[in-house]
Amino acid sequence: MLQSWRKLYAKSENTQAYSLLSPALILVAVAMLVPMMLMLSFSFFTQVSMMEIDFSFTFQRYIDFFQKNLLVTLLIKSVKISFLVTLITLITAYPVCYYIAFYVKKNKMLWLVLLTLPFWTSYLLRVFSWKIILGTKGVINSSLINAGLLSEPLTFLMYSETAVVITLTHAWAAFALLPLYVSLEKIDFSLIEAGRDLGLSRFEVFWKITFPLSLPGVIGAILIIFIPTVGDYVTPALLGGTDGRMLSNMIQAYFGKANNIPLGAASATIMLTTVAIITIIVSNVTKRLTQRLS
Amino acid sequence: MNNSFIQINNISKHFADVKAVDDVSFEIKEGEFFSLLGPSGCGKTTLLRLLAGFEYPTTGNLFIDGVDITELSPDKRPTNMVFQNYAIFPHLNVEKNIQFGLRKLGLSNDEINNRVKDVLTLVKLEGYEERFSNQLSGGQRQRVALARALVRQPKVLLLDEPLGALDKKLRDEMQLELRTLQKNIGITFVFVTHDQQEAISMSDRVAVMNNGKIQQLSAPNELYKNPENIFVSDFIGETNFLKVMTKSSEGEFINASIEGLGEFKIKNNLNIAENSSDVVCSVRPESMMISKVKSDWDICLEAKIRQTSYLGEMTRFYVEAKGIDKVITVSSQHFDNQSFADNECFISISLEDISILNKK
């Protein structure tokens, strides 16, 4: 019995592959696919009263979404905040990775570990510490007031879009470092020397050689940051106030206090679709950009 | 022809406390195929990188065609480099790789296209314009790297062990091709290699380097025939070193007592000091003769064959001779295999094949 199984196992590469993949496949199916299908189906229902849902099929929730200005505005705001977070992270992380990849000779790993050190504390703790830094009586405001540079605290720092962007940028920077570092590290330094040797300035060499060759890392970093931040609701809930609220906070409300599960499900589906479309656009545009640059 | 086309004046390059290049001065002629030869870590690559502008010297000056280039960045120098790993841009095809360095020269599009076409013909890569680096063989990549550097028509082409990654057969072919190419286009080549055979067969002149210093700079046949010190003699070709004591000198000769051979008058080209033991005697394996019967050469020693290795074009004998406490290598093409069955033999040396070298 066991032998015949073994034979079957050894014979087919597919059986081998699927048996190795099965733990992950089962997990994905149970923990992702089923809930997603449930959410998708709920988005076609109607909330009649507190406890009662009408299970007849309708597209009305999607129409509701686009008729509620607030929801559309929040979707746009979510995308905008994520876009800013991604952009700022890239601009700050890229030079650091460039430095480590090309100029640090010894202990590169130590540098990377040190950079990711803040990320060893919990996400929630980091969000709260930003509260202490940015608050009305926080580190920045009180030191500026004590120094006599301000008479009243800066209000845009806390409970605002700014606070959300700063906190999210800091929270996700570590995840951008790694793909960027790996793609830069892979670039053979003699390619950069060859560029200089062939008459290009440092700046031209960067745009014509280093940057195009690091694009896989850039795309990786964009997706790794954009996708999770667009759906983040902890940071906007704690630091966003009314100004920094994002669509995910509203979705959370629909599943909770506002008690409109079908509308919440429809909003989540729309958000998912938006993220998917943006992801596709980003990878296509960057691919084009590479070809254009070269 | 300009005899001091490239001037290297008292160049030193220190990395932390390592003297990679140590106060080196020499000149390279215009249109010359010049090789820097030495073991790894001898400073040859550093010297080439100093010429390219990837490193700046700690002290000293560099001139190319009368212009001081010591402080110039690589993009401002009249040099181009063929890298050891070729450094072909992986995101560009062959044509774009070759055009890469032309954009900044301010040429018209027609001129650019013509130059690319010409250089592709020169390196025999017509039809490969659209290929990418990963679709090329090692030899083809090497040609692309060469084309990319040559298309800019530099005054000096720098080559950093460009043949190192190729297999033996292809390497021999490329050696011949590079040599012909260089003679045809007349650009000065500075070629770095650790392969003595490569340097000797291709170059007009060779600088042998060790420990950041030039050990000897001369034409290839001079390096082989008249090495100036023990390092060069050992590095170029093969040789046997014997212990020796110098005695009095007589004009251009010096009396020397050589281990196992006796006392002889040897030509003294290198100002060897009298009464010195800080010298060594060198005899090339192929300058000796091995025979069954005694010969009438200047020196003929009774010997015993310890080991034989057949190398195809010649056979190498490892022999022990009376009075020499060291195995001597003798290479020969002409011998009768049968006759050495009992391992008894004679080895003969002609006095003119013995050279005496300073140990330092």
Side-chain angles (χ1 to χ4, degrees), chain A residues 188-202 204-205 208-209 212-213 290 294, chain B residues 49 52 54 73-75 79-81 83 85 87-92 96 100-101 104 148 152:
Chain A
D188 182 354
F189 196 72
S190 63
L191 293 175
I192 292 167
E193 288 184 337
R196 297 280 282 145
D197 188 62
L198 292 167
L200 271 66
S201 68
R202 274 170 201 279
E204 289 165 321
V205 165
K208 295 203 155 189
I209 301 169
L213 289 176
T290 333
S294 52
Chain B
R49 290 172 60 81
F54 301 139
S73 59
D75 52 326
T79 59
N80 279 114
M81 177 116 145
F83 288 80
N85 61 359
I88 313 273
F89 304 125
H91 58 305
L92 305 178
K96 295 239 169 80
F100 196 88
K104 292 280 283 187
R148 190 178 65 181
R152 282 171 57 88

mmCIF file of all heavy atoms in Angstrom, chain A residues 188-202 204-205 208-209 212-213 290 294, chain B residues 49 52 54 73-75 79-81 83 85 87-92 96 100-101 104 148 152:
data_model
loop_
_atom_site.group_PDB
_atom_site.id
_atom_site.type_symbol
_atom_site.label_atom_id
_atom_site.label_comp_id
_atom_site.label_asym_id
_atom_site.label_seq_id
_atom_site.Cartn_x
_atom_site.Cartn_y
_atom_site.Cartn_z
ATOM 1 N N ASP A 188 25.964 45.262 -10.853
ATOM 2 C CA ASP A 188 27.412 45.140 -10.906
ATOM 3 C C ASP A 188 28.018 46.548 -10.977
ATOM 4 O O ASP A 188 27.674 47.324 -11.863
ATOM 5 C CB ASP A 188 27.754 44.338 -12.171
ATOM 6 C CG ASP A 188 29.226 44.102 -12.315
ATOM 7 O OD1 ASP A 188 29.995 44.648 -11.509
ATOM 8 O OD2 ASP A 188 29.595 43.359 -13.238
ATOM 9 N N PHE A 189 28.908 46.861 -10.035
ATOM 10 C CA PHE A 189 29.437 48.221 -9.992
ATOM 11 C C PHE A 189 30.222 48.566 -11.253
ATOM 12 O O PHE A 189 30.305 49.735 -11.634
ATOM 13 C CB PHE A 189 30.314 48.438 -8.752
ATOM 14 C CG PHE A 189 30.568 49.888 -8.456
ATOM 15 C CD1 PHE A 189 29.554 50.700 -7.965
ATOM 16 C CD2 PHE A 189 31.808 50.462 -8.703
ATOM 17 C CE1 PHE A 189 29.769 52.041 -7.715
ATOM 18 C CE2 PHE A 189 32.032 51.810 -8.459
ATOM 19 C CZ PHE A 189 31.007 52.602 -7.958
ATOM 20 N N SER A 190 30.752 47.556 -11.932
ATOM 21 C CA SER A 190 31.508 47.860 -13.152
ATOM 22 C C SER A 190 30.587 48.428 -14.244
ATOM 23 O O SER A 190 31.054 49.117 -15.140
ATOM 24 C CB SER A 190 32.254 46.624 -13.653
ATOM 25 O OG SER A 190 31.361 45.616 -14.017
ATOM 26 N N LEU A 191 29.269 48.175 -14.150
ATOM 27 C CA LEU A 191 28.343 48.785 -15.116
ATOM 28 C C LEU A 191 28.319 50.297 -14.924
ATOM 29 O O LEU A 191 28.271 51.064 -15.893
ATOM 30 C CB LEU A 191 26.924 48.232 -14.928
ATOM 31 C CG LEU A 191 26.730 46.764 -15.262
ATOM 32 C CD1 LEU A 191 25.318 46.330 -14.909
ATOM 33 C CD2 LEU A 191 26.995 46.534 -16.747
ATOM 34 N N ILE A 192 28.377 50.721 -13.668
ATOM 35 C CA ILE A 192 28.371 52.144 -13.367
ATOM 36 C C ILE A 192 29.692 52.765 -13.818
ATOM 37 O O ILE A 192 29.720 53.836 -14.434
ATOM 38 C CB ILE A 192 28.112 52.350 -11.864
ATOM 39 C CG1 ILE A 192 26.675 51.907 -11.556
ATOM 40 C CG2 ILE A 192 28.354 53.789 -11.445
ATOM 41 C CD1 ILE A 192 26.361 51.750 -10.109
ATOM 42 N N GLU A 193 30.782 52.041 -13.569
ATOM 43 C CA GLU A 193 32.083 52.525 -14.040
ATOM 44 C C GLU A 193 32.115 52.588 -15.563
ATOM 45 O O GLU A 193 32.645 53.540 -16.135
ATOM 46 C CB GLU A 193 33.198 51.614 -13.523
ATOM 47 C CG GLU A 193 33.434 51.767 -12.035
ATOM 48 C CD GLU A 193 34.610 50.947 -11.532
ATOM 49 O OE1 GLU A 193 34.981 49.956 -12.186
ATOM 50 O OE2 GLU A 193 35.150 51.299 -10.479
ATOM 51 N N ALA A 194 31.516 51.575 -16.199
ATOM 52 C CA ALA A 194 31.492 51.569 -17.665
ATOM 53 C C ALA A 194 30.736 52.797 -18.176
ATOM 54 O O ALA A 194 31.155 53.423 -19.155
ATOM 55 C CB ALA A 194 30.832 50.291 -18.177
ATOM 56 N N GLY A 195 29.661 53.160 -17.514
ATOM 57 C CA GLY A 195 28.894 54.341 -17.904
ATOM 58 C C GLY A 195 29.738 55.599 -17.830
ATOM 59 O O GLY A 195 29.746 56.425 -18.745
ATOM 60 N N ARG A 196 30.504 55.718 -16.748
ATOM 61 C CA ARG A 196 31.386 56.883 -16.589
ATOM 62 C C ARG A 196 32.478 56.841 -17.654
ATOM 63 O O ARG A 196 32.823 57.861 -18.246
ATOM 64 C CB ARG A 196 32.029 56.864 -15.189
ATOM 65 C CG ARG A 196 31.023 56.979 -14.070
ATOM 66 C CD ARG A 196 30.578 58.405 -13.854
ATOM 67 N NE ARG A 196 31.576 59.164 -13.126
ATOM 68 C CZ ARG A 196 31.829 60.450 -13.337
ATOM 69 N NH1 ARG A 196 31.169 61.101 -14.262
ATOM 70 N NH2 ARG A 196 32.733 61.079 -12.632
ATOM 71 N N ASP A 197 32.999 55.653 -17.892
ATOM 72 C CA ASP A 197 34.072 55.468 -18.866
ATOM 73 C C ASP A 197 33.609 55.876 -20.261
ATOM 74 O O ASP A 197 34.380 56.361 -21.076
ATOM 75 C CB ASP A 197 34.511 54.003 -18.866
ATOM 76 C CG ASP A 197 35.751 53.763 -19.696
ATOM 77 O OD1 ASP A 197 36.792 54.347 -19.352
ATOM 78 O OD2 ASP A 197 35.683 53.018 -20.684
ATOM 79 N N LEU A 198 32.303 55.674 -20.533
ATOM 80 C CA LEU A 198 31.770 55.986 -21.862
ATOM 81 C C LEU A 198 31.303 57.430 -21.955
ATOM 82 O O LEU A 198 30.571 57.789 -22.865
ATOM 83 C CB LEU A 198 30.637 55.019 -22.206
ATOM 84 C CG LEU A 198 31.117 53.571 -22.409
ATOM 85 C CD1 LEU A 198 29.953 52.611 -22.435
ATOM 86 C CD2 LEU A 198 31.927 53.451 -23.692
ATOM 87 N N GLY A 199 31.718 58.257 -20.998
ATOM 88 C CA GLY A 199 31.541 59.697 -21.152
ATOM 89 C C GLY A 199 30.342 60.305 -20.458
ATOM 90 O O GLY A 199 30.034 61.476 -20.669
ATOM 91 N N LEU A 200 29.630 59.543 -19.618
ATOM 92 C CA LEU A 200 28.451 60.103 -18.963
ATOM 93 C C LEU A 200 28.802 60.652 -17.583
ATOM 94 O O LEU A 200 29.667 60.125 -16.906
ATOM 95 C CB LEU A 200 27.358 59.035 -18.827
ATOM 96 C CG LEU A 200 26.409 58.952 -20.027
ATOM 97 C CD1 LEU A 200 27.152 58.477 -21.256
ATOM 98 C CD2 LEU A 200 25.243 58.047 -19.744
ATOM 99 N N SER A 201 28.088 61.711 -17.202
ATOM 100 C CA SER A 201 28.282 62.263 -15.861
ATOM 101 C C SER A 201 27.626 61.333 -14.852
ATOM 102 O O SER A 201 26.855 60.453 -15.213
ATOM 103 C CB SER A 201 27.651 63.645 -15.773
ATOM 104 O OG SER A 201 26.249 63.519 -15.867
ATOM 105 N N ARG A 202 27.925 61.569 -13.569
ATOM 106 C CA ARG A 202 27.330 60.749 -12.518
ATOM 107 C C ARG A 202 25.814 60.731 -12.618
ATOM 108 O O ARG A 202 25.169 59.698 -12.457
ATOM 109 C CB ARG A 202 27.663 61.346 -11.147
ATOM 110 C CG ARG A 202 28.972 60.906 -10.591
ATOM 111 C CD ARG A 202 29.298 61.746 -9.358
ATOM 112 N NE ARG A 202 30.710 61.703 -9.083
ATOM 113 C CZ ARG A 202 31.300 60.699 -8.448
ATOM 114 N NH1 ARG A 202 30.597 59.694 -8.013
ATOM 115 N NH2 ARG A 202 32.598 60.692 -8.265
ATOM 116 N N GLU A 204 23.852 61.361 -15.232
ATOM 117 C CA GLU A 204 23.373 60.611 -16.408
ATOM 118 C C GLU A 204 23.498 59.111 -16.198
ATOM 119 O O GLU A 204 22.623 58.348 -16.597
ATOM 120 C CB GLU A 204 24.175 61.024 -17.647
ATOM 121 C CG GLU A 204 23.856 62.414 -18.128
ATOM 122 C CD GLU A 204 24.884 62.938 -19.111
ATOM 123 O OE1 GLU A 204 26.093 62.687 -18.926
ATOM 124 O OE2 GLU A 204 24.474 63.612 -20.065
ATOM 125 N N VAL A 205 24.603 58.698 -15.578
ATOM 126 C CA VAL A 205 24.793 57.274 -15.306
ATOM 127 C C VAL A 205 23.666 56.775 -14.408
ATOM 128 O O VAL A 205 23.115 55.699 -14.618
ATOM 129 C CB VAL A 205 26.171 57.007 -14.660
ATOM 130 C CG1 VAL A 205 26.223 55.611 -14.055
ATOM 131 C CG2 VAL A 205 27.271 57.166 -15.691
ATOM 132 N N LYS A 208 20.424 56.544 -16.561
ATOM 133 C CA LYS A 208 20.448 55.625 -17.705
ATOM 134 C C LYS A 208 20.841 54.210 -17.334
ATOM 135 O O LYS A 208 20.568 53.278 -18.085
ATOM 136 C CB LYS A 208 21.413 56.157 -18.770
ATOM 137 C CG LYS A 208 20.930 57.469 -19.343
ATOM 138 C CD LYS A 208 21.494 57.709 -20.697
ATOM 139 C CE LYS A 208 20.585 58.622 -21.461
ATOM 140 N NZ LYS A 208 20.940 58.735 -22.849
ATOM 141 N N ILE A 209 21.505 54.032 -16.210
ATOM 142 C CA ILE A 209 21.937 52.687 -15.837
ATOM 143 C C ILE A 209 21.368 52.257 -14.483
ATOM 144 O O ILE A 209 20.578 51.329 -14.404
ATOM 145 C CB ILE A 209 23.480 52.585 -15.819
ATOM 146 C CG1 ILE A 209 24.031 52.937 -17.195
ATOM 147 C CG2 ILE A 209 23.922 51.182 -15.435
ATOM 148 C CD1 ILE A 209 25.510 53.132 -17.220
ATOM 149 N N PRO A 212 17.205 52.450 -14.084
ATOM 150 C CA PRO A 212 16.478 51.404 -14.833
ATOM 151 C C PRO A 212 16.751 50.001 -14.301
ATOM 152 O O PRO A 212 15.843 49.180 -14.243
ATOM 153 C CB PRO A 212 17.016 51.537 -16.262
ATOM 154 C CG PRO A 212 17.610 52.865 -16.351
ATOM 155 C CD PRO A 212 18.002 53.301 -14.980
ATOM 156 N N LEU A 213 17.991 49.740 -13.891
ATOM 157 C CA LEU A 213 18.308 48.398 -13.410
ATOM 158 C C LEU A 213 17.726 48.124 -12.030
ATOM 159 O O LEU A 213 17.566 46.979 -11.633
ATOM 160 C CB LEU A 213 19.826 48.182 -13.395
ATOM 161 C CG LEU A 213 20.477 48.050 -14.774
ATOM 162 C CD1 LEU A 213 21.986 47.939 -14.653
ATOM 163 C CD2 LEU A 213 19.929 46.846 -15.523
ATOM 164 N N THR A 290 11.010 52.283 -18.187
ATOM 165 C CA THR A 290 12.319 51.653 -18.369
ATOM 166 C C THR A 290 12.733 51.719 -19.826
ATOM 167 O O THR A 290 13.856 52.075 -20.165
ATOM 168 C CB THR A 290 12.278 50.154 -17.993
ATOM 169 O OG1 THR A 290 11.262 49.963 -17.050
ATOM 170 C CG2 THR A 290 13.610 49.693 -17.497
ATOM 171 N N SER A 294 15.878 53.916 -21.539
ATOM 172 C CA SER A 294 16.995 53.312 -22.253
ATOM 173 C C SER A 294 16.836 53.562 -23.738
ATOM 174 O O SER A 294 17.721 53.405 -24.503
ATOM 175 C CB SER A 294 17.059 51.829 -21.946
ATOM 176 O OG SER A 294 15.805 51.255 -22.170
ATOM 177 N N ARG B 49 43.328 51.074 -13.598
ATOM 178 C CA ARG B 49 42.195 51.860 -13.101
ATOM 179 C C ARG B 49 42.595 53.305 -12.840
ATOM 180 O O ARG B 49 41.773 54.213 -12.952
ATOM 181 C CB ARG B 49 41.608 51.214 -11.850
ATOM 182 C CG ARG B 49 40.880 49.883 -12.155
ATOM 183 C CD ARG B 49 40.474 49.170 -10.890
ATOM 184 N NE ARG B 49 39.574 49.973 -10.077
ATOM 185 C CZ ARG B 49 38.265 50.077 -10.289
ATOM 186 N NH1 ARG B 49 37.719 49.417 -11.273
ATOM 187 N NH2 ARG B 49 37.523 50.832 -9.525
ATOM 188 N N ALA B 52 42.344 54.841 -16.160
ATOM 189 C CA ALA B 52 40.958 55.021 -16.576
ATOM 190 C C ALA B 52 40.271 56.131 -15.793
ATOM 191 O O ALA B 52 39.298 56.721 -16.265
ATOM 192 C CB ALA B 52 40.186 53.714 -16.397
ATOM 193 N N PHE B 54 39.187 55.587 -12.522
ATOM 194 C CA PHE B 54 38.322 55.017 -11.478
ATOM 195 C C PHE B 54 38.973 55.139 -10.105
ATOM 196 O O PHE B 54 38.329 54.986 -9.081
ATOM 197 C CB PHE B 54 38.005 53.550 -11.765
ATOM 198 C CG PHE B 54 37.325 53.346 -13.075
ATOM 199 C CD1 PHE B 54 37.658 52.285 -13.902
ATOM 200 C CD2 PHE B 54 36.346 54.232 -13.508
ATOM 201 C CE1 PHE B 54 37.044 52.113 -15.129
ATOM 202 C CE2 PHE B 54 35.728 54.064 -14.728
ATOM 203 C CZ PHE B 54 36.078 53.004 -15.536
ATOM 204 N N SER B 73 38.070 63.254 -14.325
ATOM 205 C CA SER B 73 37.151 62.141 -14.067
ATOM 206 C C SER B 73 37.101 61.250 -15.311
ATOM 207 O O SER B 73 37.474 61.678 -16.404
ATOM 208 C CB SER B 73 35.770 62.676 -13.711
ATOM 209 O OG SER B 73 35.283 63.473 -14.761
ATOM 210 N N PRO B 74 36.648 59.994 -15.153
ATOM 211 C CA PRO B 74 36.720 59.029 -16.268
ATOM 212 C C PRO B 74 36.055 59.542 -17.551
ATOM 213 O O PRO B 74 36.549 59.275 -18.651
ATOM 214 C CB PRO B 74 35.957 57.818 -15.740
ATOM 215 C CG PRO B 74 35.909 57.959 -14.275
ATOM 216 C CD PRO B 74 36.073 59.402 -13.942
ATOM 217 N N ASP B 75 34.948 60.276 -17.411
ATOM 218 C CA ASP B 75 34.222 60.719 -18.607
ATOM 219 C C ASP B 75 34.971 61.796 -19.383
ATOM 220 O O ASP B 75 34.636 62.087 -20.526
ATOM 221 C CB ASP B 75 32.807 61.202 -18.237
ATOM 222 C CG ASP B 75 32.811 62.227 -17.121
ATOM 223 O OD1 ASP B 75 33.671 62.128 -16.226
ATOM 224 O OD2 ASP B 75 31.967 63.123 -17.142
ATOM 225 N N THR B 79 40.385 57.901 -22.812
ATOM 226 C CA THR B 79 40.595 56.458 -22.702
ATOM 227 C C THR B 79 39.252 55.754 -22.687
ATOM 228 O O THR B 79 38.249 56.339 -22.314
ATOM 229 C CB THR B 79 41.287 56.103 -21.372
ATOM 230 O OG1 THR B 79 40.463 56.574 -20.305
ATOM 231 C CG2 THR B 79 42.652 56.722 -21.258
ATOM 232 N N ASN B 80 39.240 54.501 -23.098
ATOM 233 C CA ASN B 80 38.071 53.661 -22.888
ATOM 234 C C ASN B 80 38.538 52.291 -22.460
ATOM 235 O O ASN B 80 39.654 51.884 -22.755
ATOM 236 C CB ASN B 80 37.191 53.580 -24.137
ATOM 237 C CG ASN B 80 36.292 54.801 -24.262
ATOM 238 O OD1 ASN B 80 36.439 55.594 -25.175
ATOM 239 N ND2 ASN B 80 35.397 54.967 -23.297
ATOM 240 N N MET B 81 37.643 51.613 -21.744
ATOM 241 C CA MET B 81 38.067 50.392 -21.066
ATOM 242 C C MET B 81 37.239 49.199 -21.528
ATOM 243 O O MET B 81 36.039 49.314 -21.751
ATOM 244 C CB MET B 81 37.858 50.617 -19.565
ATOM 245 C CG MET B 81 38.167 49.438 -18.717
ATOM 246 S SD MET B 81 39.552 49.812 -17.644
ATOM 247 C CE MET B 81 39.103 48.913 -16.192
ATOM 248 N N PHE B 83 36.173 45.883 -19.849
ATOM 249 C CA PHE B 83 36.186 45.374 -18.481
ATOM 250 C C PHE B 83 36.384 43.864 -18.461
ATOM 251 O O PHE B 83 36.033 43.164 -19.406
ATOM 252 C CB PHE B 83 34.883 45.727 -17.770
ATOM 253 C CG PHE B 83 34.773 47.185 -17.439
ATOM 254 C CD1 PHE B 83 34.386 48.099 -18.403
ATOM 255 C CD2 PHE B 83 35.081 47.641 -16.167
ATOM 256 C CE1 PHE B 83 34.298 49.454 -18.114
ATOM 257 C CE2 PHE B 83 34.997 48.985 -15.869
ATOM 258 C CZ PHE B 83 34.608 49.887 -16.841
ATOM 259 N N ASN B 85 34.789 41.620 -16.766
ATOM 260 C CA ASN B 85 33.529 40.874 -16.918
ATOM 261 C C ASN B 85 32.683 41.483 -18.046
ATOM 262 O O ASN B 85 31.500 41.226 -18.138
ATOM 263 C CB ASN B 85 32.762 40.857 -15.605
ATOM 264 C CG ASN B 85 32.412 42.257 -15.161
ATOM 265 O OD1 ASN B 85 32.770 43.232 -15.832
ATOM 266 N ND2 ASN B 85 31.709 42.394 -14.071
ATOM 267 N N ALA B 87 31.019 44.026 -18.553
ATOM 268 C CA ALA B 87 30.115 45.097 -18.120
ATOM 269 C C ALA B 87 29.189 45.558 -19.237
ATOM 270 O O ALA B 87 29.026 46.750 -19.488
ATOM 271 C CB ALA B 87 30.908 46.278 -17.547
ATOM 272 N N ILE B 88 28.581 44.617 -19.932
ATOM 273 C CA ILE B 88 27.585 44.954 -20.961
ATOM 274 C C ILE B 88 26.300 45.347 -20.235
ATOM 275 O O ILE B 88 25.868 44.625 -19.332
ATOM 276 C CB ILE B 88 27.277 43.723 -21.842
ATOM 277 C CG1 ILE B 88 28.558 43.053 -22.279
ATOM 278 C CG2 ILE B 88 26.366 44.100 -23.010
ATOM 279 C CD1 ILE B 88 29.193 43.545 -23.494
ATOM 280 N N PHE B 89 25.679 46.451 -20.614
ATOM 281 C CA PHE B 89 24.450 46.878 -19.941
ATOM 282 C C PHE B 89 23.344 45.864 -20.242
ATOM 283 O O PHE B 89 22.953 45.705 -21.397
ATOM 284 C CB PHE B 89 24.035 48.275 -20.392
ATOM 285 C CG PHE B 89 25.121 49.297 -20.174
ATOM 286 C CD1 PHE B 89 25.583 50.075 -21.219
ATOM 287 C CD2 PHE B 89 25.693 49.456 -18.914
ATOM 288 C CE1 PHE B 89 26.595 51.000 -21.013
ATOM 289 C CE2 PHE B 89 26.701 50.375 -18.704
ATOM 290 C CZ PHE B 89 27.160 51.150 -19.757
ATOM 291 N N PRO B 90 22.830 45.196 -19.204
ATOM 292 C CA PRO B 90 21.894 44.096 -19.461
ATOM 293 C C PRO B 90 20.530 44.572 -19.970
ATOM 294 O O PRO B 90 19.799 43.793 -20.560
ATOM 295 C CB PRO B 90 21.757 43.414 -18.094
ATOM 296 C CG PRO B 90 22.162 44.438 -17.101
ATOM 297 C CD PRO B 90 23.137 45.346 -17.782
ATOM 298 N N HIS B 91 20.203 45.862 -19.744
ATOM 299 C CA HIS B 91 18.880 46.341 -20.165
ATOM 300 C C HIS B 91 18.903 46.937 -21.564
ATOM 301 O O HIS B 91 17.891 47.437 -22.035
ATOM 302 C CB HIS B 91 18.334 47.347 -19.161
ATOM 303 C CG HIS B 91 19.233 48.552 -18.960
ATOM 304 N ND1 HIS B 91 20.555 48.453 -18.611
ATOM 305 C CD2 HIS B 91 18.987 49.861 -19.069
ATOM 306 C CE1 HIS B 91 21.074 49.660 -18.505
ATOM 307 N NE2 HIS B 91 20.144 50.529 -18.787
ATOM 308 N N LEU B 92 20.066 46.884 -22.229
ATOM 309 C CA LEU B 92 20.173 47.435 -23.581
ATOM 310 C C LEU B 92 20.649 46.348 -24.537
ATOM 311 O O LEU B 92 21.425 45.478 -24.151
ATOM 312 C CB LEU B 92 21.181 48.584 -23.599
ATOM 313 C CG LEU B 92 20.948 49.736 -22.624
ATOM 314 C CD1 LEU B 92 22.066 50.758 -22.762
ATOM 315 C CD2 LEU B 92 19.611 50.399 -22.903
ATOM 316 N N LYS B 96 22.354 49.349 -28.867
ATOM 317 C CA LYS B 96 22.229 50.446 -27.891
ATOM 318 C C LYS B 96 23.443 50.501 -26.983
ATOM 319 O O LYS B 96 23.872 51.574 -26.568
ATOM 320 C CB LYS B 96 20.953 50.264 -27.060
ATOM 321 C CG LYS B 96 19.668 50.381 -27.881
ATOM 322 C CD LYS B 96 18.801 51.506 -27.337
ATOM 323 C CE LYS B 96 17.643 51.851 -28.257
ATOM 324 N NZ LYS B 96 16.514 50.933 -28.131
ATOM 325 N N PHE B 100 25.798 53.770 -26.803
ATOM 326 C CA PHE B 100 25.745 54.414 -25.493
ATOM 327 C C PHE B 100 26.763 55.541 -25.328
ATOM 328 O O PHE B 100 26.434 56.635 -24.883
ATOM 329 C CB PHE B 100 25.957 53.347 -24.416
ATOM 330 C CG PHE B 100 25.562 53.785 -23.047
ATOM 331 C CD1 PHE B 100 24.269 53.631 -22.603
ATOM 332 C CD2 PHE B 100 26.497 54.369 -22.200
ATOM 333 C CE1 PHE B 100 23.898 54.032 -21.335
ATOM 334 C CE2 PHE B 100 26.128 54.771 -20.928
ATOM 335 C CZ PHE B 100 24.832 54.608 -20.500
ATOM 336 N N GLY B 101 27.998 55.258 -25.700
ATOM 337 C CA GLY B 101 29.053 56.239 -25.484
ATOM 338 C C GLY B 101 29.162 57.281 -26.586
ATOM 339 O O GLY B 101 29.989 58.176 -26.515
ATOM 340 N N LYS B 104 27.140 61.351 -26.345
ATOM 341 C CA LYS B 104 27.723 62.551 -25.739
ATOM 342 C C LYS B 104 28.784 63.198 -26.621
ATOM 343 O O LYS B 104 29.302 64.245 -26.295
ATOM 344 C CB LYS B 104 28.354 62.178 -24.389
ATOM 345 C CG LYS B 104 27.375 61.771 -23.338
ATOM 346 C CD LYS B 104 26.724 62.972 -22.678
ATOM 347 C CE LYS B 104 27.713 63.586 -21.705
ATOM 348 N NZ LYS B 104 27.092 64.634 -20.912
ATOM 349 N N ARG B 148 32.157 48.549 -28.083
ATOM 350 C CA ARG B 148 31.611 49.683 -27.337
ATOM 351 C C ARG B 148 32.724 50.661 -26.967
ATOM 352 O O ARG B 148 32.523 51.875 -26.944
ATOM 353 C CB ARG B 148 30.910 49.169 -26.077
ATOM 354 C CG ARG B 148 30.121 50.210 -25.360
ATOM 355 C CD ARG B 148 29.415 49.629 -24.166
ATOM 356 N NE ARG B 148 30.368 49.170 -23.155
ATOM 357 C CZ ARG B 148 30.004 48.601 -22.011
ATOM 358 N NH1 ARG B 148 28.735 48.402 -21.753
ATOM 359 N NH2 ARG B 148 30.907 48.220 -21.136
ATOM 360 N N ARG B 152 34.185 54.806 -29.738
ATOM 361 C CA ARG B 152 34.427 56.190 -29.327
ATOM 362 C C ARG B 152 35.776 56.710 -29.832
ATOM 363 O O ARG B 152 36.139 57.858 -29.586
ATOM 364 C CB ARG B 152 34.374 56.313 -27.810
ATOM 365 C CG ARG B 152 32.942 56.334 -27.283
ATOM 366 C CD ARG B 152 32.904 56.246 -25.775
ATOM 367 N NE ARG B 152 33.658 57.290 -25.107
ATOM 368 C CZ ARG B 152 33.173 58.482 -24.781
ATOM 369 N NH1 ARG B 152 31.931 58.781 -25.066
ATOM 370 N NH2 ARG B 152 33.919 59.374 -24.176
#
